[in-house]
């Protein structure tokens, strides 16, 4: 257990509304990531963070923003949700294990945009 | 561009038999890492095994082993003595780009079904 908590676990919202997903970690990991999972695509990186207030875009960042005001929390915001953002969202941290860095994932958030 | 390819959408294996899940990758980096994750029907992503590009020996973790063939750019997962609980989606992933960011690129997955 890498101490990652995602909230909410499930959310239904309407097109055009703002949505914020939270990822909380308890082990002071520097790197945090947001991925989305869609059928036929595997997981795709949305945004990542390499420290407090340090973030960068991933492969599918359009329509998403992130914030990291403290080490333990990484927030993903959909400013105006669209149906194409219906997906399962996973947060991850990178844990150093000697010479290798392993990403561990939270339980996921299932988001439906109607 | 970096890419992971999993060509088997689904696989079947009988309990107690071994099964190989295929993964090929494309990268121009000299240093990279390859991962396998398991996603059961409950939805969580479970880390299984890691192989570094400079590791001389194939990685093993219990019943999981990674058949790493660098020249062929393949990183197949071998599950020995399959169990019913191994039924799940399996994703191959590669650490892409800068080593410092650890961003992962995933394949589309293989659904493994283990039958009695």
């Amino acid at each position: 257990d890498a101490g990652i908590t995602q909230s909410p676990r499930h959310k239904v919202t309407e097109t055009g509304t703002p949505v914020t997903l939270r990822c909380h970690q308890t082990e002071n990991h520097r790197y945090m990531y947001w991925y989305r999972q869609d059928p036929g695509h595997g997981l795709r990186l949305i945004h990542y963070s390499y420290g407090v207030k340090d973030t960068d875009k991933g492969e599918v960042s359009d329509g998403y923003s992130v914030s990291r005001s403290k080490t333990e929390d990484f927030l993903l915001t959909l400013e105006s949700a669209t149906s194409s953002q219906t997906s399962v969202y996973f947060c991850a941290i990178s844990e150093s294990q000697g010479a290798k860095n392993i990403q561990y994932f939270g339980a996921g958030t299932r988001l439906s945009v109607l | 561009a970096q890419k992971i390819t999993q060509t088997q959408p689904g696989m079947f294996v009988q309990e107690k038999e071994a099964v190989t899940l295929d993964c090929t990758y494309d990268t121009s980096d000299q240093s990279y890492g390859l991962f396998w994750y398991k996603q059961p029907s409950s939805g969580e992503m479970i880390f299984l095994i890691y192989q570094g590009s400079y590791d001389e020996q194939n990685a093993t973790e219990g019943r999981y082993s990674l058949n790493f063939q660098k020249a062929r750019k393949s990183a197949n997962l071998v599950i020995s003595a399959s169990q019913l609980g191994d039924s799940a989606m399996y994703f191959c992933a590669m650490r892409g780009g800068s080593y410092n960011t650890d961003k992962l690129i995933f394949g589309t997955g293989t659904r493994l079904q283990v039958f009695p």
Side-chain angles (χ1 to χ4, degrees):
Chain A
D1 185 355
I4 307 167
T5 304
Q6 291 186 232
S7 60
R9 293 291 317 281
H10 302 272
K11 186 169 182 67
V12 180
T13 191
E14 294 185 350
T15 299
T17 59
V19 176
T20 295
L21 308 183
R22 179 183 184 233
C23 180
H24 179 78
Q25 54 125 339
T26 59
E27 299 182 1
N28 205 36
H29 296 292
R30 178 182 175 190
Y31 289 93
M32 298 184 74
Y33 310 82
W34 277 107
Y35 293 87
R36 62 178 286 174
Q37 182 178 24
D38 305 291
H41 287 280
L43 275 74
R44 293 179 292 174
L45 182 66
I46 305 171
H47 281 279
Y48 65 99
S49 171
Y50 46 96
V52 173
K53 297 185 180 179
D54 290 325
T55 65
D56 206 349
K57 296 179 179 180
E59 178 187 0
V60 290
S61 60
D62 287 348
Y64 302 95
S65 62
V66 291
S67 65
R68 194 167 177 199
S69 59
K70 45 187 179 178
T71 299
E72 58 266 34
D73 289 326
F74 191 32
L75 305 181
L76 177 70
T77 297
L78 292 65
E79 300 289 349
S80 178
T82 68
S83 58
S84 64
Q85 294 175 313
T86 292
S87 187
V88 179
Y89 292 86
F90 286 97
C91 174
I93 58 90
S94 181
E95 179 178 284
S96 178
Q97 297 179 359
K100 58 187 181 183
N101 295 337
I102 306 299
Q103 281 195 26
Y104 292 95
F105 288 80
T109 295
R110 186 173 296 274
L111 176 67
S112 296
V113 183
L114 305 179
Chain B
Q2 293 163 321
K3 187 177 181 181
I4 291 282
T5 302
Q6 295 181 256
T7 57
Q8 305 157 315
M11 291 282 287
F12 288 89
V13 65
Q14 190 169 29
E15 199 176 7
K16 300 180 185 178
E17 297 295 311
V19 63
T20 298
L21 306 184
D22 293 342
C23 173
T24 58
Y25 61 92
D26 190 18
T27 181
S28 57
D29 291 340
Q30 297 302 307
S31 177
Y32 51 89
L34 296 155
F35 303 75
W36 278 92
Y37 287 86
K38 173 184 179 181
Q39 186 177 42
S41 57
S42 52
E44 69 268 33
M45 294 289 289
I46 302 168
F47 166 71
L48 294 178
I49 196 167
Y50 168 85
Q51 179 84 40
S53 58
Y54 292 122
D55 294 341
E56 294 184 352
Q57 293 190 336
N58 288 343
T60 60
E61 292 284 351
R63 295 186 298 109
Y64 304 108
S65 60
L66 200 153
N67 184 1
F68 181 46
Q69 298 187 43
K70 196 170 183 176
R72 298 181 61 184
K73 293 189 174 180
S74 73
N76 298 339
L77 177 70
V78 180
I79 305 175
S80 63
S82 296
Q83 302 172 355
L84 295 177
D86 293 334
S87 294
M89 282 289 288
Y90 289 81
F91 291 94
C92 181
M94 176 172 63
R95 185 188 68 234
S98 166
Y99 177 86
N100 289 334
T101 64
D102 289 339
K103 296 182 287 184
L104 292 183
I105 300 166
F106 283 81
T108 53
T110 296
R111 182 173 298 281
L112 176 66
Q113 295 189 52
V114 181
F115 59 94

